[in-house]
Amino acid sequence: MNVQWHLLLMVTLAATVIPASGQQAVPEATPANIGVQASIPDFSGIWRHGNLPWFIPPASGPGPVTNLSRTKDTGVSDYSSLVGDYKNPILQAWAADVVKKKGDLSLAGVVFPNPANTCWPEPVPFLFKHAAMQMLQLPDQIVMLFNENHEVRRVRMNQPHPAKLTPSWHGDAVGHYEGDTLVIDTVGVRTDRPHAMIDLFGTPYTEKLHVVERYRLVDYDDAKDAMQRGTKENRRAAGPYNPNYNDKYLQVQFTIEDEGAFTTPWTAIMIYLRDRNEWPEVVCAEGRFAFHHDQSADLPHADKPDF
């Protein structure tokens, strides 16, 4: 009996420390967020906006300089007469004077030079004049390809601006994700360059220019108000918005501040649609006399093919 009792006690004790057959011991609890990464939105592919000029004013609050010249038929911005509203309260007095003088040139029939029509690199946010943009999302950077003039913009991810910043054509851009939003912060855009302006109205900027962009994928209900404002304000070079479009929209909201040129920070919006077609390439050919003096000009050409 004593032997049997001891055997029974050993089996009972063993059962309390050894898991049953086919089971595993429960590991120690670990924090739920270890190894879990937030979902990154897919901004890859080609996007088009089709607006000239390109900024859509906000529903309320300070917004971009808009065109005083309007078409007679639709009342939208007259792309052939770029007369910026120099009375926009965002402009400091000297900046308003610059915009007014550019507008006077346009009213006189002179197409004044800007980065696009003289084939110079375009500063942010003038850069968004391009109708098409392709975004490449890499682990350590975002690369934006623009369809005209071989413009390429690089955004370093999850890094600060350098303490000693060397100004560049597109400025120093750093980005990070906030949930479903890509946030890009840009400073250090060169001012010692021809045609230092942020829009087609000649609105100037200084070395204090600071641009923050917020990119989100949205549905029609989220984009329709901005698109309606854009249709009323801008010439739709790409034609009316496609009523059968059933993809996501890319909404970009800009906050722009420059204590050297503006009286207050101001905002603007752009709405892009996905383009599933092939990537177009547009090469700039400078013809400054044709652009600025309405004279015929001999654009670059070759007497015979080089292929």
Side-chain angles (χ1 to χ4, degrees):
M1 285 292 296
N2 288 338
V3 173
Q4 291 179 346
W5 184 86
H6 283 295
L7 288 174
L8 179 60
L9 178 62
M10 292 175 63
V11 170
T12 302
L13 291 173
T16 62
V17 296
I18 299 177
S21 177
Q23 295 181 348
Q24 295 181 347
V26 178
E28 294 183 4
T30 57
N33 60 351
I34 295 297
V36 177
Q37 184 174 356
S39 176
I40 294 177
D42 181 12
F43 298 117
S44 63
I46 300 172
W47 299 92
R48 285 186 176 273
H49 66 76
N51 287 329
L52 288 172
W54 51 102
F55 283 145
I56 299 174
S60 62
V65 171
T66 54
N67 199 352
L68 291 176
S69 291
R70 320 298 290 190
T71 59
K72 294 180 179 180
D73 53 348
T74 61
V76 301
S77 175
D78 184 354
Y79 190 59
S80 65
S81 179
L82 299 172
V83 184
D85 181 6
Y86 59 92
K87 294 183 179 180
N88 188 321
I90 69 168
L91 297 173
Q92 293 187 18
W94 76 269
D97 187 58
V98 170
V99 173
K100 185 179 186 305
K101 289 179 178 178
K102 297 292 187 184
D104 290 343
L105 287 173
S106 192
L107 288 172
V110 177
V111 180
F112 56 84
N114 65 53
N117 64 23
T118 56
C119 307
W120 278 88
E122 299 172 13
V124 175
F126 191 106
L127 186 63
F128 293 89
K129 172 183 179 291
H130 297 283
M133 178 268 292
Q134 185 174 14
M135 189 182 296
L136 309 177
Q137 291 175 270
L138 304 175
D140 60 344
Q141 66 176 318
I142 299 288
V143 180
M144 295 182 180
L145 308 176
F146 295 87
N147 70 313
E148 299 176 26
N149 312 348
H150 309 294
E151 293 267 20
V152 178
R153 183 191 186 200
R154 300 182 185 277
V155 180
R156 297 177 294 110
M157 295 299 292
N158 304 311
Q159 297 185 38
H161 295 296
K164 294 185 178 180
L165 182 62
T166 301
S168 58
W169 297 118
H170 297 151
D172 185 69
V174 295
H176 66 275
Y177 293 102
E178 294 181 2
D180 64 351
T181 302
L182 169 64
V183 181
I184 298 177
D185 187 290
T186 302
V187 295
V189 180
R190 285 184 61 170
T191 58
D192 59 334
R193 47 154 299 145
H195 325 311
M197 57 185 70
I198 65 169
D199 58 28
L200 285 172
F201 307 111
T203 303
Y205 65 91
T206 74
E207 70 282 354
K208 297 179 181 179
L209 179 67
H210 179 200
V211 181
V212 177
E213 306 142 57
R214 301 181 68 87
Y215 294 74
R216 288 185 61 226
L217 297 176
V218 299
D219 295 319
Y220 173 75
D221 287 341
D222 295 317
K224 65 179 180 180
D225 289 344
M227 288 194 295
Q228 290 171 357
R229 293 197 305 276
T231 299
K232 292 179 180 179
E233 177 60 34
N234 298 321
R235 173 192 169 204
R236 285 287 302 165
Y241 288 105
N242 180 3
N244 298 317
Y245 182 82
N246 58 4
D247 211 329
K248 289 285 188 181
Y249 297 84
L250 175 60
Q251 174 183 282
V252 187
Q253 181 169 350
F254 299 84
T255 299
I256 297 174
E257 56 184 340
D258 183 339
E259 294 179 354
F262 306 127
T263 61
T264 183
W266 53 274
T267 62
I269 297 172
M270 290 178 63
I271 300 292
Y272 288 84
L273 281 67
R274 279 197 184 275
D275 187 342
R276 302 291 184 179
N277 297 320
E278 294 184 3
W279 176 248
E281 183 179 23
V282 180
V283 179
C284 184
E286 182 180 0
R288 63 186 181 87
F289 293 105
F291 269 120
H292 311 141
H293 303 290
D294 199 22
Q295 301 173 5
S296 60
D298 188 14
L299 296 178
H301 71 281
D303 293 331
K304 60 181 181 179
D306 58 358
F307 55 87

